[in-house]
Amino acid sequence: MIDTWITQLRKGLLEYCVLTVLARGESYGYEIVAELSRFEEFSVTESTIYPILARLRQEKYLKVRDVPSGLGPTRRYFSLTAIGKVRLAEMNNHLHKIDTAISHLKSPPRKDTGHESDT
Amino acid sequence: MIDTWITQLRKGLLEYCVLTVLARGESYGYEIVAELSRFEEFSVTESTIYPILARLRQEKYLKVRDVPSGLGPTRRYFSLTAIGKVRLAEMNNHLHKIDTAISHLKSPPRKDTGHESDT
DNA sequence: TAGTGCTACCTCGCGATGCGAAGTAGCATC
DNA sequence: GATGCTACTTCGCATCGCGAGGTAGCACTA
């Protein structure tokens, strides 16, 4: 099942996406869901995003600001903390390395040309 | 924990890596472990790879060829089947889309310039 | 014969996550 | 008062990565 694979592939990646969206400025759960869902590959529901936000907040990567919107329940705005930004930078770095590694996997560094001697 | 994140991020990705390695030619579990472990980001053990190989085989993405190596236990060579190649192509396609989506997430397509009219 | 070490394979069980399903609640419209 | 949108929250299942542990063939050594 390719769907299953996609679900698995999202693990961890969605956390990164949430941080990436918040790097552009504060936002709240419902809006993040809408923003990510603009991309078919990141189509999500609240049951996916809210636990992520709660976790990131608990880990101190996000801070919260409750804002009563005169149009429905109070909005809970999230924004990156200092260590949240560091975390995102680390993630970017790691993803870049993965990208590089995959490129190498596709075209191996010619482990054997048939004959060679030194290191 | 960044380690936890990395573990989560690997989900699905390692399956892709295995297929990518096999796209270069047949190989066996122990060798695939060594090959992937050349990259720190993909450092794995047998307990990670063998279940993946078993799953991919069961899904008919891989076929098997047992070859008694006169140097230890019989090697179980895996290689891509026709649908395995299709699967890999789909994965490449999906990963490319994800890449694109992430780029857009980082720099949003200017959702509002202050004024615009049409649909 | 017994011990160590490398190759090579397989399985169990835990922890973390994504996500469908379901629930709560404020405001608006019909 | 019923429907519908906004907005947040929790439960429970399925999947996967991976440490720990096990089996087995061959080689070398004492």
Side-chain angles (χ1 to χ4, degrees), chain A residues 34-49:
Chain A
E35 173 62 17
L36 290 181
S37 295
R38 291 180 45 232
F39 307 94
E40 193 173 350
E41 312 304 318
F42 292 142
S43 181
V44 290
T45 64
E46 291 108 307
S47 58
T48 298
I49 294 305

Side-chain angles (χ1 to χ4, degrees), chain A:
Chain A
M1 288 293 181
I2 194 99
D3 316 19
T4 306
W5 177 68
I6 291 176
T7 295
Q8 295 305 317
L9 196 62
R10 284 167 168 231
K11 294 184 188 235
L13 204 56
L14 287 176
E15 187 174 310
Y16 169 76
C17 289
V18 167
L19 289 177
T20 298
V21 167
L22 291 178
R24 290 156 27 186
E26 67 173 10
S27 184
Y28 53 97
Y30 201 74
E31 191 180 54
I32 294 174
V33 168
E35 173 62 17
L36 290 181
S37 295
R38 291 180 45 232
F39 307 94
E40 193 173 350
E41 312 304 318
F42 292 142
S43 181
V44 290
T45 64
E46 291 108 307
S47 58
T48 298
I49 294 305
Y50 283 108
I52 290 176
L53 288 170
R55 209 171 60 234
L56 289 173
R57 183 193 182 187
Q58 194 181 324
E59 307 268 343
K60 307 262 197 273
Y61 297 130
L62 300 183
K63 57 177 183 285
V64 162
R65 188 168 69 94
D66 284 353
V67 177
S69 73
L71 183 143
T74 298
R75 285 179 185 163
R76 172 156 287 186
Y77 279 90
F78 293 87
S79 55
L80 295 183
T81 61
I83 65 170
K85 290 176 187 174
V86 171
R87 169 68 176 255
L88 180 55
E90 287 175 351
M91 286 173 151
N92 268 313
N93 185 43
H94 189 83
L95 286 174
H96 180 66
K97 284 187 194 167
I98 285 180
D99 222 53
T100 303
I102 288 178
S103 298
H104 284 284
L105 272 187
K106 288 182 182 174
S107 51
R110 190 156 309 289
K111 73 165 70 164
D112 181 22
T113 54
H115 60 81
E116 62 188 287
S117 49
D118 65 55
T119 50

